[in-house]
Amino acid sequence: MLILLCIQCISAQGQSQVIRYMGEVSYDRTLNFDGTPVTAKYILLFGADSSIFFETEVSEEDRPQLVSNSDDEVELSYKITFKSVRHILTVDFVNDSIHTQMALLNDGGPKPFLIKEKRNDINWKIANEFKVLSGIRVQKATCEFRGRKYVVWFAPEIPTKAGPFKFNGLPGLILSVTDERNEVVFHATSVKVPLEDENSKGNTVAFRQDARRVTLGEYLELFDQQGIEFEKFIKAKLPRGARMELKTSKPVGGIELEYEDEALR
C-alpha cells in the first residue's frame, strides 16, 4: 500500500485519504557548519490539522572521483547522494506526531528510514516587534530548540501552527528561521495563501514503501555507526587487490545538537 504524504493520511480502516491544503510556501534552507554555505529548496504545504515539508530536488546518482597522488596511490573522493531518497517531514497536529524520511548508510549502501517522534513542544517567547517580509507583516519570536537559539518571524495574519522543518506551534505561519550562529537558516521565498489547487504537489509526494520504520532514538544509534558503514561502503567500491587507509571524522555540526530525554524513548 502506498503511504501518501503522512501517517495521518491513513484511516483506521487502512484507506488513504486526500489532504486538502490551505497554503503553500517555498523556502531556501541554508546550512553553514564549516564555512561553506549549502542551500536546498523546500516546499511546505499546510492544512488545518497537518503539514508536509519536503525537498524539491532529489539527487539521481552517487558521483565518485578518483584523484591520483602518485604512481601507486590513489585518493578516493566519494560523494554519497542517496539516490531517490527524498527528505520529507510531516507534522500531525491532532496526534502530536512527526514523521521524517531520511537516508543512512546501512548494510553496505544507502537505505531509507522513516523516523517517528512526538511533536516537539517549543517554548516560544513572542516579542512585540514587527516588520515586513515579502509584503507580509510578521512578528518576532525566539526559542531554544535542541541545542540552538533561534530568531523566528511569523505571520499572525495567516492563522496556522505550521512552519519549516520541526518549527511549529506559533499563532501564525513561520516565514523565517535563523539560529544565533547563522549556521541554520530557513527563509520563505514565496507564499501562496489561499492555495488555488488544494490537491496539488503534496498528494504526489510519498514516503518510500521500503523505508525502515524506527524511533528517533533508534535512528540516532544508527547515525552514530555511519563511520563504520562508510568504510564498508567504500571497500565494496574498490578494485580487487586494492588497499585502503581510511580516515574518518565525525560530521561537522547538524541542525539538532541535543535531544530531550523523552524524545529518545
Side-chain angles (χ1 to χ4, degrees):
M1 180 178 65
L2 183 64
I3 304 175
L4 286 177
L5 301 182
C6 49
I7 297 304
Q8 67 266 28
C9 299
I10 306 302
S11 68
Q13 289 76 30
Q15 297 176 342
S16 62
Q17 300 174 354
V18 175
I19 292 180
R20 297 191 180 278
Y21 296 103
M22 301 185 302
E24 174 184 320
V25 189
S26 297
Y27 291 90
D28 283 348
R29 185 203 69 178
T30 302
L31 304 180
N32 185 8
F33 303 131
D34 58 2
T36 304
V38 177
T39 299
K41 304 289 186 181
Y42 278 79
I43 286 177
L44 172 72
L45 291 167
F46 60 91
D49 300 320
S50 63
S51 67
I52 178 169
F53 182 68
F54 57 93
E55 62 179 329
T56 60
E57 299 175 1
V58 183
S59 300
E60 293 298 326
E61 59 184 355
D62 302 330
R63 299 182 182 277
Q65 287 184 331
L66 291 174
V67 181
S68 177
N69 291 334
S70 64
D71 291 338
D72 58 355
E73 289 187 6
V74 172
E75 178 181 323
L76 175 64
S77 174
Y78 208 97
K79 180 181 179 181
I80 303 172
T81 52
F82 301 122
K83 181 178 179 180
S84 299
V85 180
R86 185 192 297 268
H87 182 203
I88 306 172
L89 187 150
T90 65
V91 180
D92 181 344
F93 295 110
V94 175
N95 297 306
D96 272 342
S97 63
I98 293 177
H99 288 81
T100 307
Q101 178 172 277
M102 296 286 289
L104 286 177
L105 285 174
N106 188 252
D107 294 331
K111 299 292 191 303
F113 288 82
L114 185 59
I115 309 149
K116 180 181 179 179
E117 62 180 294
K118 188 179 183 300
R119 185 174 73 90
N120 38 292
D121 186 16
I122 299 177
N123 183 23
W124 293 106
K125 296 180 180 178
I126 299 177
N128 190 29
E129 187 175 339
F130 299 84
K131 67 178 182 179
V132 175
L133 288 178
S134 301
I136 300 173
R137 185 172 182 266
V138 294
Q139 186 171 1
K140 182 179 179 180
T142 59
C143 73
E144 293 186 26
F145 178 58
R146 292 185 171 170
R148 293 183 182 274
K149 295 180 180 179
Y150 291 95
V151 172
V152 169
W153 294 91
F154 69 98
E157 296 175 0
I158 306 177
T160 176
K161 299 178 183 177
F165 190 57
K166 299 177 185 178
F167 299 100
N168 60 78
L170 280 167
L173 177 65
I174 297 173
L175 296 183
S176 175
V177 178
T178 306
D179 83 310
E180 65 176 355
R181 288 179 272 187
N182 288 312
E183 293 180 345
V184 179
V185 177
F186 294 89
H187 179 71
T189 57
S190 72
V191 180
K192 298 178 182 178
V193 180
L195 189 58
E196 293 181 2
D197 183 1
E198 297 175 337
N199 302 320
S200 62
K201 298 174 185 174
N203 290 318
T204 66
V205 177
F207 289 134
R208 288 269 296 265
Q209 289 182 305
D210 59 342
R212 176 180 166 187
R213 295 172 181 252
V214 294
T215 65
L216 178 59
E218 290 168 338
Y219 174 82
L220 293 174
E221 290 177 3
L222 290 167
F223 185 81
D224 286 341
Q225 299 298 314
Q226 287 304 280
I228 297 173
E229 292 293 339
F230 181 75
E231 183 174 356
K232 292 179 184 177
F233 182 77
I234 293 300
K235 282 183 176 179
K237 301 288 184 181
L238 293 176
R240 181 177 297 179
R243 293 180 293 108
M244 178 183 70
E245 179 182 351
L246 183 65
K247 296 180 181 179
T248 60
S249 58
K250 291 185 178 180
V252 178
I255 296 178
E256 298 173 316
L257 302 178
E258 59 188 45
Y259 297 87
E260 323 82 67
D261 290 340
E262 57 269 24
L264 303 179
R265 293 170 187 161

